[in-house]
Amino acid sequence: MANIIHPQLSASLLRQLTYSTTRFGVYEELKALSTTPTTTNPSFLTLLALSSTSGFLGGIAGNPADVLNVRMQHDAALPSRDRRNYKNAIDGLIRMTREEGWRSLFRGVWPNSMRAVLMTASQLSSYDIFKTLLLSNTQLQDNLTTHFSASFLAGFVATTVCSPVDVIKTRVMSAKESKGLARLLADIYGREGVGWMFKGWVPSFIRLGPHTIVTFLFLEQHKKVYRRLRGVD
């Protein structure tokens, strides 16, 4: 069991170190730059633009690890002769570059970046919007209850918005043959109809909902500690 879990875990960790760090870091920096003494809360359109930009950059940065993550997850379902058997994330990156060329690291980068844009825009900007609405229209204070409520709603929005792109991304990255995006969509629609867009929504929300909640709860506490140490608050 350890031999199966460890390679997948290394790919997941590498993805978080590249994709998540980039999108959260860029978003917070851009948001800080767009905030002035007279404009403490950027508008919805501004937040949407900032989160889309940071998501796009995060998608590109995390694509190699994302390809590895998808391949490792699907490896166990393949016949023995078709398995890639990457030992870990680093071994996977080296073998992909050596056996398939460096372009294989960016296979599916456009649908993946599109998904990253949708994920970041629907997750980060919606969290800030929900948080602002809760603070403005309810008796809630800037505390864990508000952070939990806003992050739960953000997780619901992000799961719904990203579901169609998640299906496309998984099909592209796990495919044995290279297909154009238009042909892939036509094949999926021909086999599964419109329902393919939200295939796996429930397990996606079960995964993404708690992930979003924990991420924002930790981020809010981290920012409070950071501001306290810097003497901002």
Side-chain angles (χ1 to χ4, degrees), residues 1 3 9 24 45 58-59 69-70 92 99 106 116 124 133 158-159 168 170 173 198 217:
M1 179 64 71
N3 291 333
L9 180 61
F24 274 97
L45 291 178
N69 199 32
V70 170
E99 298 169 8
F106 295 95
L124 273 65
L133 290 174
T159 303
I168 296 172
T170 302
M173 291 184 175
F198 299 102
L217 290 180

Side-chain angles (χ1 to χ4, degrees), residues 179-197:
K179 288 184 179 181
L181 185 58
R183 181 186 167 191
L184 179 67
L185 288 173
D187 289 346
I188 296 175
Y189 179 77
R191 290 194 305 267
E192 304 172 34
V194 181
W196 71 267
M197 296 178 66

Side-chain angles (χ1 to χ4, degrees), residues 57-78:
L57 295 175
I60 294 175
N63 199 80
D66 220 356
V67 175
L68 278 173
N69 199 32
V70 170
R71 288 186 173 189
M72 287 180 173
Q73 287 177 359
H74 283 77
D75 227 24
L78 296 173

Side-chain angles (χ1 to χ4, degrees), residues 69-131:
N69 199 32
V70 170
R71 288 186 173 189
M72 287 180 173
Q73 287 177 359
H74 283 77
D75 227 24
L78 296 173
S80 299
R81 65 179 181 279
D82 294 330
R83 292 178 185 173
R84 298 178 175 95
N85 293 320
Y86 297 139
K87 296 178 182 178
N88 50 56
I90 303 302
D91 176 64
L93 291 175
I94 294 173
R95 283 184 51 193
M96 284 175 62
T97 305
R98 182 189 303 146
E99 298 169 8
E100 305 173 48
W102 65 268
R103 286 185 175 83
S104 65
L105 300 176
F106 295 95
R107 185 174 186 179
V109 67
W110 298 122
N112 195 34
S113 296
M114 181 171 62
R115 189 260 187 192
V117 168
L118 293 175
M119 169 62 74
T120 308
S122 60
Q123 192 180 48
L124 273 65
S125 61
S126 68
Y127 173 79
D128 283 334
I129 293 298
F130 284 131
K131 180 182 173 183

Side-chain angles (χ1 to χ4, degrees), residues 26-44 46-48 50 128 131-132 223 227 232-233:
V26 172
Y27 178 71
E28 289 297 327
E29 285 297 318
L30 292 177
K31 191 167 68 171
L33 290 173
S34 66
T35 302
T36 64
T38 57
T39 309
T40 55
N41 293 319
S43 67
F44 172 71
T46 300
L47 291 175
L48 200 60
L50 300 182
D128 283 334
K131 180 182 173 183
T132 301
K223 288 195 291 186
R227 288 168 182 164
V232 178
D233 289 345

